[in-house]
Structures are given as structure tokens and as C-alpha cells.
Amino acid sequence: MEEIQNTKTIKAALLGVGTVGSGVYELVRERQDDFINICGVRIEIAKILVRDTSKSREGIPSSLLTDKWEEIIRDDEISVIIEVMGGIEPARTYILEAMRAGKQVITANKDLIAEHGHELLSTAEEMQCDLKFEAAVAGCIPIIQVLKHSMASEDITEIMGIVNGTTNYILTRMTQSGLSYEEALQEATDLGYAEADPAADVDGLDAGRKIAIMASIAFHSRVTFSDVYIEGIRKITAKDIYYAKEFGSVIKLLGIAKKTEDGIEVKVLPILIPKDHPLATVNDSYNAVFVHGTASGDTMYYGRGAGKLPTASAVTGDLCTVVRHLTERHNNLHVCSCYRDIPVKNIKDTCSRFFLRLQVEDRPGVLANISSVFGTSQVSIAQVVQKSRENGVAELVIITDEVKELYFSDAMSILEQLSIIKNISSLIRVYE
Amino acid sequence: MEEIQNTKTIKAALLGVGTVGSGVYELVRERQDDFINICGVRIEIAKILVRDTSKSREGIPSSLLTDKWEEIIRDDEISVIIEVMGGIEPARTYILEAMRAGKQVITANKDLIAEHGHELLSTAEEMQCDLKFEAAVAGCIPIIQVLKHSMASEDITEIMGIVNGTTNYILTRMTQSGLSYEEALQEATDLGYAEADPAADVDGLDAGRKIAIMASIAFHSRVTFSDVYIEGIRKITAKDIYYAKEFGSVIKLLGIAKKTEDGIEVKVLPILIPKDHPLATVNDSYNAVFVHGTASGDTMYYGRGAGKLPTASAVTGDLCTVVRHLTERHNNLHVCSCYRDIPVKNIKDTCSRFFLRLQVEDRPGVLANISSVFGTSQVSIAQVVQKSRENGVAELVIITDEVKELYFSDAMSILEQLSIIKNISSLIRVYE
């Protein structure tokens, strides 16, 4: 554990403090002590750019708010800019100015990266600063990091993903509950998943921006939003989904990019996929990205693609990386990261549910006897099924509720000595 | 594209050239030109340490082989050591000596990291060199990178994974085909998934080493192999799997680590999980790791946990990271990585399968008419189902074979003009 008192502070500014921005503020504040251990410095959100400084925002000190970009860009103590305001302008101008002023930049802005990625990345290269955008694609799924670093040595030939939570929620509801498109959209709107104007989601534009960004990185060749062939889900009916099911398929809105011998194919469209494909079981507002590399084969990355804290988590992950660069902490990332010293519990002190298969005497009162032993040891039975009976021996399967392993093993030692128990053939734990 | 002629070369040595080692050699050779663009330098496997230099190895030039460690450790031109020999000694000594000689190290050796990780990482810290071990856990699933970097800002509370391909193959075969444990093990042995002595796999030791490594990184607190409570799968019977299925569950061998208020729980055991849990559909020799963070929620990482090229891919991914460090290329990883210029194809030049729902006149000859239009445009029909017929109108659902989009849209323009076609209500693509 490093000394917290004398720790250097790195100051960051938030541009925007809507859903994602307030999540970032919350995580940076709550995890400050951990960040000191992870990054070697204290991280502080020192200023927040908003349109209206008089509006009160829960949990955000009004002293941090400013409506003047100059106050941030001219503040030499602020070394990191976190852009979570969205839209093309003024976000683009602010980011360019920040990089030219020698600041590092993190953005969650997919529209901007999909449209002006080349300009922004070229400026980052020229200024030798960081420009990170993990949160722009698939929320907290670390697909940008995976494609740029972990799979750096891979020849990626296909990337395919469910990268829009709103449409995945709508299609899941239509599939699982037989809702019409309109009913499912209404539900998504009521839950806050869909915006008042749902066009960017349901027409596939949002997914189009994300597949353009992922394809560029995966294939090392520029793919822009305008290259993507896009169809949305407005025309999908409950009947289509019903018939698809008859063919053993589900309908998902997929972004698909393939590197073929004669060029890149890149599209967003609703598509029937077999129900045993890993992407078929990605439901509700979850996202998943499927990547095929010639050496790795198929890999898949699954998680929340949107939402306050999952998106904020992707932003603060980038923040840690940027801060580690600033502090040269990337040079010793091999270092053991065990700065805590948490005790490891003995298995007897942990809790489990149990699946128990045993052969017992086939006569009345046996189950009562077993239940009583369990009861005395604080083990409660969730389910009992008698599976077979022959030659005076019955086979029972018992599933218990969650219980401390110690109590359960006490019960088992007593049971083992009962003459009514002929054999305990299986003892397997059950996921709670 | 950088100039290839004047590119600097970074030399690496392989310790061992078995399955994984020969895969690494193959990938480094095949992707040499790409690596120049990705890392800014040429990467060369300059020496390979083997026990017997006289044994011929397919695809490996015998001039690279040596049985003398001194030739590698004393070669100042070799800056990266890739240890894929396995076992504790002499691997441990070689790695320590290499780091002390100022070389960077990559290893795929989980036994060594789980047992001597602290010693090795401390030496890496002292020597300020890289020690990377992505391939040691879950093959090409980049879980180490994800935990150390992408999820750096997360408070991880649970990590749980199917991290042994052999036992997952055995349990999958028992579940899907009703084989006994012995039959499934025999099959795994015949296929080369299980070793002659399968103890490390079926007794859960291999999974135990992996969950210890993951728990240490996820919880920032040291967990060693001896801390892990371990049960294997030898006692699981076909009957247990059958009964589990009746309870809506499948049995998987899971490594589970939880951070609770009073300590860390860490175990490997066969467990019943509900069949709709994402881990339940991870079958055959695939691995998957499920991570719960307080901000990110649930995320999952899925891929091949073993095998020549998937494991070699994890090693070469580490190699790219290490080489980028050596060349200071990590300082400008924000740089646009689009060094290729691949054309993007027009949707009309790509191929798809189609699901088509249409209303047609309900009289003989109509299907023949449609088929003939399709046939002329090179569209072949895979399936046709008549779904309903009322008021002289029949509803047809047609699924085509894969066809160039251009040909299909030609066929559609002709169909649209036929008087027998009343309406085309759906046109959705089908995943090939």
C-alpha cells in the first residue's frame, strides 16, 4: 500500500454531467483510495463543464460547475479531459483544442469517433497524447482494448455483434412474450431504454457507428459510418419472429463485418441466427461481440452495452490507463497488483446449496428421519424426489437451501451412521 | 505502411518447441509483415532451446535449435524470452536468470505462476522488465489483460469460470450423449484432449491453478494454489447429470472466487447451474470466464482455452505488447491503426441467405412460377412452407440458399411485377 498522504494528484475535467458523467463522478469519488493503489496517484475531477451552472445536480458539488470552456482549457493543472457531452459539436472542437493544449482525452462519443475518428486520432498522434474511447462501443465490454492489444497478433476475419441494447430489448420481448413491435417499443420507452425519438436505435444507425469503429480497428483499414449498409428493425413483425422460431432461429439486429478476399463487407441488419449460436442467448439489453481470428478461432465478449455505471466503468477504465501513462506506471504493470491482504476463508465457513443422491431403506418414516437430522444441523431441504425403488431400497435426490458447509458436513456425519442410509452416492453443489 | 527494408529487428528465444511453441514459431513467421506495422519492428525467433537438437521438427529450421541455455542467456541480441517448456524447474530458474539479465519474459506456464508468481513478479519489478502470462489462463481468452487493464477501475466481487477444456468436453459428452464418465474420458484421451495421466485435469488441479491466478488479480490480494478448495469430476455419474437435467440444470466444473465481507472464498468443484445461465451453454472444449463488478455488472469472456494456435495467439499477443514496450510504441497506441487500405464492398456484391414472407394467389402453378423467376436469377430455394390460406390468398415463407444480393434483388424486381404476388411482407436475412 502506497502512502496516501504524500500522493500526487492528477486533475481531470468532465465535459457534461448527464447519466454517464454523473456515473463517472461517482466512481472516481467512491474508488479514490483504490485508484491510488492502482495508478499511483490521486485522481480528482476538478471541473465540470455544463450549459447551466444554476441547475442543481444531486451529488455533484456546484463549486465544480462551469459554463466556460476557457476555464478548463486554460487550466494547466487539468491534464485529462473526459468528454461525455455527446453530439458532434462542440465536442469535436473541444477535444481537438484539448489535445493541442497537451491534455489527454477520453471520450464516450461514438458518433464523433465514427465520423471524425481519423482527424482526432491523427491529432493525437501529432500531439503524442492519449485519445481513448472504450465507452463508445458496447458499454463496459472492453472490445476496443481487446482488439487493439490482446488480439494485436491476430488476423481477424470476422466481427459480429449485438451492439444496441434498445433493439435487443425490443426483439427479446417480441420473441419471449409475443409482443408486437409497437408494444415492445412502448415498453422500452417507458423503461427509459428508448429515447423519445428512437430512430438512431431502431433504424440501426447507432449499431452502424459501432460496427464501423470495430471494423476499422479489427481489419486495420478505415471503415466509416457511410460505408455501412444499414437496415433497422421497424419492419419486423411478431409473425416473422414466430416463423423464425419454427425454423429453429431467433431474429437479432447484428452489426457484421467480414474481411474477404476482395474487400470488406460491413452491414447492420436484422438476421435469423440458429438458436444454439452463442449470440442467440444474448437477451434483454445485454450486448455481445463475437470475433473470429485465424489463430484464436471464435471468441465472444458479453456485458452491459449501456446504462449509467456500466458505461462509466468503461470511461474510468480508460482513465486508469491514461493516468498510468501519465505517471509512467505502464512501465511496471508487470508488478504484482496485490496491494490488499484479504484472508482466504476455509471452505467450511462458506455457504452452499447441495444436490444429494442417496440410497435408503424403502419404508415409512425414513424421510422424516433424514429431515430431522438435517433440521437439527440447520440444513433445510428445498426439494426431495424419490427416483426409484427396488429390493427394499429407494433412491432419493435431495436439494438443500443454502447452508454453511460446516453445518452440512455435521449433518452428513450423522446421516452416514444411520442404518436406514444404505449409500450416499453423490454430493454435488448447486449454484445459488 | 512503414518501410520494411530499414526496420529494426527484435530477437526472441523460445524455451521449448512442443505444441504451443511450434504454434508461436508459425504465427511469428507467417505474420511477420503485419507485426512490423503493429509493433514498428521486425520480430524474429532467433534461438530455440530444446533437450535434443538432433530430433527433427517439422517446419522448424534445425539451425535455430540449441540445448545450451548459456547460448541464449548470454546472447545480448536476444531481448525477449518466451517460456513454453512447462513444469517448475528449470523454467523458474531460466525465467529468473533472464529477467536479471535484463530480458523481457513471456510465459504460458500456469503451474509456475500459480506457485511462484510472487517471486517472479517481484523480480520483474526489481529489474523493471515485463513478465506477461496471458496464455497461462484460459488460452486465447484475454482475461489477464481484461482484469489488469480494462477492469482496472472496477470493484470485482466475483469471478467464475469454466477454465479446463478437458473436463468441459467430458461433461458435455456425458450431458449431450449420455456417456458414462469412463466412456467420455476415453473419448477425450483418443482425441488428444486428455493426457495419459488425466489427474491434473479431472481432479481439478489445473482449474485450481487458474482460479488462484485470476482471484489474485481480480481482488488485488494474493491467492495461491494451496488456498483453493478443490473437488474434481471423477465421481460424477451419468445418473447425476440426468437428474440435474430434470431440475433444469447442467453440471459444470467451475472455478469460483468471491470477495465477501469476511474474506475470499475460492474453490473448484462440479456444480449444478441453471440451463439458462450464460455458462451453461459453454460446451465442448470451450472455456468462459464470468466476472461480476459493482459498476460493470456481469460480463463474460468466451473462447478456446487450449490448443496449439489459440494458446500461441495469446503468447504472440503478449509478444506484441512486450515489443511495443521495448520500442516505446505504447506511448502512441492511440495512433490510428489503419495501415491497410482494403476496399469496402457494395452490399450488392455480397452474398446472403434470405427469409421471405409473401402473400400470393392461392392457385396451382404459383410456386412453379416463383421458382422459375428465382431460378432464372440464380436464386435457389432451400425451404418453402405454406403458412395459411384464406380468401384466395396463401401466405408463403421461403428461405433461400446463399446468393449474391444483386441476383436476389433482380429476382425481387421481377416478382414484384407478377400479378400472382399480392404482397411481400417480410424480407430478412439468414445467418449462413
Side-chain angles (χ1 to χ4, degrees), chain A residues 10 24-25 30 38 45 57 71 84 93 135 169-170 209-210 252 273 279 298-299 311 319 363 366 373 395 402 416 426:
Chain A
I10 283 195
V24 172
Y25 183 80
E30 276 175 13
I38 292 162
I45 303 292
R57 292 162 174 89
E71 280 189 22
V84 283
T93 302
Y169 180 83
I170 293 171
R209 293 190 180 99
K210 291 166 181 168
K252 293 287 184 190
I273 52 175
L279 286 173
D298 292 335
T299 56
T311 311
L319 182 58
R363 62 171 175 78
V366 166
V373 170
E395 182 166 64
E402 197 171 67
E416 279 164 5
S426 302

Side-chain angles (χ1 to χ4, degrees), chain A residues 9 130 201 235:
Chain A
T9 295
D130 271 328
D201 290 326
K235 287 191 287 186

Side-chain angles (χ1 to χ4, degrees), chain A residues 16 95 98 120 146 158 177 189 229 232 243 254 294 299 323 360 370 380 387 392 398 424:
Chain A
I95 289 177
L120 296 172
V146 164
E158 185 167 1
S177 307
T189 310
Y229 174 83
Y243 291 162
L254 289 192
T294 50
T299 56
V323 169
V360 299
I370 294 172
S380 78
K387 301 305 303 185
I398 298 174
I424 295 170

Side-chain angles (χ1 to χ4, degrees), chain B residues 224-276:
Chain B
T224 59
F225 178 54
S226 58
D227 290 325
V228 186
Y229 174 82
I230 297 177
E231 286 182 18
I233 64 162
R234 286 188 204 257
K235 287 191 288 187
I236 304 295
T237 64
K239 218 170 197 182
D240 295 323
I241 287 181
Y242 176 79
Y243 292 161
K245 211 182 272 183
E246 287 192 359
F247 287 106
S249 296
V250 295
I251 298 180
K252 293 287 185 189
L253 183 73
L254 290 191
I256 302 175
K258 282 186 208 178
K259 192 181 69 177
T260 69
E261 283 190 7
D262 54 344
I264 291 171
E265 300 181 10
V266 57
K267 50 199 170 191
V268 169
L269 32 77
I271 192 162
L272 276 75
I273 52 175
K275 68 174 172 19
D276 57 357

Side-chain angles (χ1 to χ4, degrees), chain A residues 351-353 402 430-432, chain B residues 158 160 256 258 271-272 274:
Chain A
C351 292
S352 296
R353 292 177 67 202
E402 197 171 67
V430 178
Y431 184 69
E432 67 264 39
Chain B
E158 185 168 0
M160 173 162 89
I256 302 175
K258 282 186 208 178
I271 192 162
L272 276 75

Side-chain angles (χ1 to χ4, degrees), chain B residues 346-366:
Chain B
N346 188 292
I347 185 82
K348 290 197 178 303
D349 298 323
T350 70
C351 292
S352 295
R353 292 177 66 201
F354 291 89
F355 165 101
L356 188 64
R357 180 160 65 90
L358 65 177
Q359 287 75 39
V360 300
E361 273 185 28
D362 188 12
R363 62 173 176 76
V366 165

